[in-house]
Amino acid sequence: MATTPQSLTKQPDSIGNSDSSSAQRGTTTIPATVVAQVAAQAASEFETVGSNAGGVLGIGSRRNFASRPEARCELYGQRAILHLNLGLAFPTPLSSTVEKLRAHVSNRVQELCGMSVSKMSIEISWLNPSSQIRKSLK
């Protein structure tokens, strides 16, 4: 009865492959549409951010703070270029709100998708004025 030394035999890993090196495992590819959905969800986490809902070609649409804003994404390797189209509650400090939104969306895309955001354009297509703050002009 011949025995083989333990160091010469390869033990299969849990998948059944005899070689478990990372070069044999492959890569994970995330489509641009998924990255866009992650960005839209991250943007909707802001309470002052809303989206257009309903309507055809912008006619009959209403302002909605319960749904995600529109997002598009282009991927170049591990870098994402994002475009967000959203609405904001008004009055709100636009500059600081957009900068906080940009940082939050970039961090969430990095955390959830493993991609860095190299460019992000934010289009504010509407403002929703608060009726409590409006004053009459004299």
Side-chain angles (χ1 to χ4, degrees), residues 16-133:
N17 297 330
S18 61
D19 187 23
S20 63
S21 68
S22 62
Q24 298 293 325
R25 292 185 190 159
T27 59
T28 301
T29 305
I30 301 174
T33 54
V34 172
V35 178
Q37 289 176 354
V38 168
Q41 178 61 36
S44 72
E45 292 170 359
F46 270 69
E47 62 191 33
T48 59
V49 171
S51 71
N52 291 333
V56 176
L57 300 173
I59 300 170
S61 63
R62 62 189 190 285
R63 297 165 180 169
N64 188 354
F65 287 96
S67 64
R68 295 187 302 216
E70 179 184 327
R72 292 189 320 266
C73 176
E74 297 174 29
L75 294 178
Y76 298 96
Q78 292 296 313
R79 298 197 175 268
I81 296 177
L82 298 174
H83 175 76
L84 298 173
N85 184 355
L86 49 90
L88 289 176
F90 186 79
T92 186
L94 296 179
S95 172
S96 63
T97 301
V98 167
E99 288 306 314
K100 289 176 186 175
L101 178 66
R102 190 181 308 271
H104 179 72
V105 170
S106 294
N107 289 338
R108 294 294 285 166
V109 168
Q110 174 69 38
E111 177 184 339
L112 297 173
C113 300
M115 297 181 184
S116 63
V117 177
S118 59
K119 182 179 178 183
M120 182 186 316
S121 63
I122 298 175
E123 179 181 347
I124 301 172
S125 59
W126 55 271
L127 296 172
N128 190 25
S130 173
S131 61
Q132 295 91 3
I133 300 177

